[in-house]
Amino acid sequence: MTILTFGHQNPDTDTITSALVMADLQNAAGKEVEAVRLGEVSAETQYALDQFKVQAPRLIDKVEKQTVILVDHNEFQQSAPGIEDATVLMVVDHHRISNFETAAPLYYRAEPVGCTATILNKMYKENNIEIKPEIAGLMLSAIISDTLLFKSPTCTEEDVKAAEELERIAGISKEEYGLDMLKAGASTADKTAEELLNIDAKSFSMGEKEVRVAQVNTVDIDEVFARQEELENAINAETAQNGYDLFVLVVTDIINSDSRILALGQEQEAVNKAFNVALDKNTALLKGVVSRKKQVVPQLTDVLS
């Protein structure tokens, strides 16, 4: 049976492209692997796919005792329904490790870099497999997305080096292309509140609390918060349905590298403690905060665990 490879629910550019890249890498090594996805393709990701003329992976809603390769995630609550009964053959990730266990040994690779694609770039070289221009373009797109064009504190020298290598193979300017790609995904006016909350959202277990952290990248924070009442209604509905103790929406200005948050839930006070702020009408400005992985989740985990 074909091995499936996929990233987390509510997929971002790293998730979609890393699945495609992993499938290419494994197929070149002689395995039969198909890239799939667990959610809709964002405008930013579609821009990258169109640029390099690559089709989006097939959409699935669950896995059924299949053999899988996970990219860009490991936490089961972020993965496909049925993952508990799947055989996890491999994980390549750059996030914390939590709520993850397997019945059999596996290849597990997690590195503290800004993007899964940075690790995959190494794996091509380690296995002496040539990187095709379109695959290089997908990996470069992922690095640009996850590091916000190298401005995020998650960005490492390894990410920058990988991007320079991939830029040459893809034959594009990473700065010019990167800004165009980020802007392509930054429009919010045409999205419903529910869509905004699920563009890039993940659930986390923090101690005994369940926390949902959604992030929206934009060039106009005020455009998003002009719809605060609509967003709060949607957040409250999702919280009631899923039992979240805290829901945090992080709206990030990709030009000025700041974020404004909207936080609701019974553990709302944890936000004040985590970021040393005082929420005003459920919102607060977080200067210099752009990374959920490094600047939001660890701080909330420290307070709630």
Side-chain angles (χ1 to χ4, degrees), residues 249-261:
L249 172 63
V250 183
V251 183
T252 299
D253 183 334
I254 62 174
I255 304 299
N256 297 307
S257 299
D258 296 319
S259 293
R260 188 175 174 189
I261 58 172

Side-chain angles (χ1 to χ4, degrees), residues 196-244:
L196 287 175
L197 296 181
N198 287 285
I199 289 174
D200 183 9
K202 293 181 180 180
S203 297
F204 300 90
S205 296
M206 300 181 183
E208 297 181 354
K209 307 300 181 182
E210 286 298 315
V211 179
R212 184 77 161 172
V213 183
Q215 186 166 26
V216 173
N217 292 331
T218 183
V219 293
D220 188 351
I221 287 180
D222 290 339
E223 179 182 80
V224 179
F225 276 88
R227 304 166 62 185
Q228 183 173 341
E229 182 179 356
E230 181 186 357
L231 289 166
E232 289 190 0
N233 290 337
I235 288 172
N236 287 332
E238 286 203 19
T239 296
Q241 181 178 353
N242 297 288
Y244 300 131

Side-chain angles (χ1 to χ4, degrees), residues 100-121:
F100 177 86
E101 63 178 292
T102 63
L106 74 160
Y107 179 93
Y108 195 110
R109 185 161 181 170
E111 297 187 21
V113 292
C115 183
T116 308
T118 299
I119 308 170
L120 291 170
N121 182 56

